[in-house]
Amino acid sequence: MTLAQQAAIQDWDGNPTPEAPVTPETLKEAGLPMGFVCDMLLRTIYTRGTMLGRDLAQLLCLPFKVIREPLKYLKDDKSIQVDGGDLVGEVSYRFSLTDLGRKRAQDAMDQCAYVGPAPVPLEDYVEQCYRQTVSGLQCYPELLKAPFAHLIMQESMFNNLGPAIISGRSVFVFGPPGNGKTAMARAIGDFMNTAGGAIYIPYAFVADGNVVTVYDPSLHVIDDVASEYADETDATVRKLLSSGAVDPRWVRIRRPVIVTGGELSLSMLDLRYNAEANFYQAPIHFKANGGVFLIDDFGR
């Protein structure tokens, strides 16, 4: 899938927002093999029951024109059937599984039971991470002072913060207990959201045929400022035409600030495999991409 080839836009509150991934027009642009999408469709209908074409597209976060070909393939293969529909076309058809389709859906569930928004290719996720890296942020003393206004620090320390932040590398802050190390790290996260604007992360990505979920509602805060001011009519038209709209497989969030402490273990930094559902969940530091991953009390 080709990501948006557009200049960085401005957030509604004036903050720069990284380029957004654009809705794919074809299965090839979505970056997913035909067989993979067919299996997702089978699993979705298997778990949800008879579904309308538009509901399938909405659940998979793909335009109906992208899943039309996989649906036709499954229908010709006698795996799904059309139980009826309205006069508005294929998008209103009601699709259900045949006996053969149920068997194939069960086989697909045994391999991977993931049901939800279609994943994006790993390559697209890596490319998007580079687009919204913190090393590209503009950092001026006046802009940096606001998030740190509640802290009292030496001028030399303050002058070192800007280069440390935009370096995009690890920062080690040390000192006696209670001198504001944690508060400083959280203030860095506030600065990133002030200067860097929102970022985009996928619900999940696929690598070597394995699904890895990324979006975590317990850690990620959806940035919905733009939706409060957006022209609803224009947004509706673009959504119906699937033209120039943001790829719904991606979530617009505030730059995450994830804090861990003495409970951090080596296993928490590795992919977590769901043995029952046969897919992976990204590790905690992975979910902090584009923001701050704070290891508090590292000495412990």
Side-chain angles (χ1 to χ4, degrees):
M1 181 186 74
T2 303
L3 295 172
Q5 301 299 318
Q6 59 192 39
I9 62 173
Q10 291 292 315
D11 201 345
W12 293 101
D13 57 3
N15 297 331
T17 300
E19 301 171 24
V22 170
T23 301
E25 299 287 331
T26 64
L27 196 60
K28 182 178 180 180
E29 288 185 6
L32 300 173
M34 168 78 80
F36 185 91
V37 178
C38 287
D39 285 346
M40 284 205 68
L41 289 168
L42 289 173
R43 292 198 299 266
T44 302
I45 301 175
Y46 182 78
T47 56
R48 299 297 182 96
T50 301
M51 294 185 67
L52 295 175
R54 63 171 177 267
D55 293 335
L56 278 168
Q58 184 176 8
L59 187 62
L60 268 63
C61 293
L62 290 170
F64 183 78
K65 58 187 174 184
V66 172
I67 67 171
R68 178 185 285 115
E69 185 180 354
L71 283 172
K72 183 179 183 302
Y73 175 84
L74 291 172
K75 183 176 177 295
D76 294 342
D77 198 43
K78 311 299 183 185
S79 293
I80 63 173
Q81 61 189 13
V82 177
D83 294 333
D86 298 329
L87 298 177
V88 295
E90 298 171 90
V91 72
S92 67
Y93 287 178
R94 291 193 294 273
F95 295 95
S96 65
L97 296 177
T98 63
D99 291 339
L100 176 62
R102 275 187 287 275
K103 182 179 182 305
R104 293 185 174 177
Q106 290 172 353
D107 293 339
M109 290 288 288
D110 291 339
Q111 295 179 5
C112 175
Y114 174 79
V115 174
V120 304
L122 174 60
E123 296 78 10
D124 287 354
Y125 175 56
V126 172
E127 183 180 348
Q128 186 65 21
C129 286
Y130 279 117
R131 291 177 182 273
Q132 54 203 25
T133 176
V134 298
S135 60
L137 299 185
Q138 296 293 326
C139 185
Y140 303 103
E142 297 77 13
L143 188 62
L144 190 60
K145 285 180 179 179
F148 293 87
H150 63 294
L151 298 176
I152 299 175
M153 63 176 63
Q154 296 179 352
E155 189 69 21
S156 58
M157 171 63 77
F158 181 80
N159 291 335
N160 288 331
L161 281 174
I165 293 172
I166 63 176
S167 69
R169 298 178 179 273
S170 300
V171 177
F172 187 72
V173 182
F174 64 94
N179 71 342
K181 298 185 298 297
T182 302
M184 184 186 301
R186 291 184 180 275
I188 291 175
D190 293 338
F191 166 75
M192 286 183 178
N193 277 294
T194 300
I199 61 174
Y200 293 91
I201 64 169
Y203 284 99
F205 66 83
V206 60
D208 295 330
N210 296 304
V211 175
V212 181
T213 60
V214 178
Y215 173 65
D216 188 337
S218 66
L219 297 175
H220 298 134
V221 179
I222 293 180
D223 182 83
D224 56 359
V225 175
S227 63
E228 297 177 5
Y229 298 92
D231 184 337
E232 294 183 1
T233 302
D234 179 65
T236 301
V237 171
R238 290 173 64 183
K239 185 175 181 181
L240 289 173
L241 295 176
S242 297
S243 176
V246 176
D247 189 340
R249 294 179 297 170
W250 297 77
V251 190
R252 176 183 164 125
I253 64 167
R254 291 176 56 82
R255 291 183 182 266
V257 179
I258 299 178
V259 182
T260 184
E263 74 279 4
L264 180 67
S265 62
L266 189 60
S267 61
M268 294 173 63
L269 301 179
D270 199 1
L271 289 171
R272 287 163 53 184
Y273 181 66
N274 188 325
E276 295 181 357
N278 293 327
F279 63 85
Y280 294 87
Q281 184 179 124
I284 185 171
H285 65 293
F286 207 93
K287 296 177 181 179
N289 274 346
V292 175
F293 179 55
L294 171 60
I295 305 177
D296 204 8
D297 287 336
F298 185 74
R300 287 194 295 170

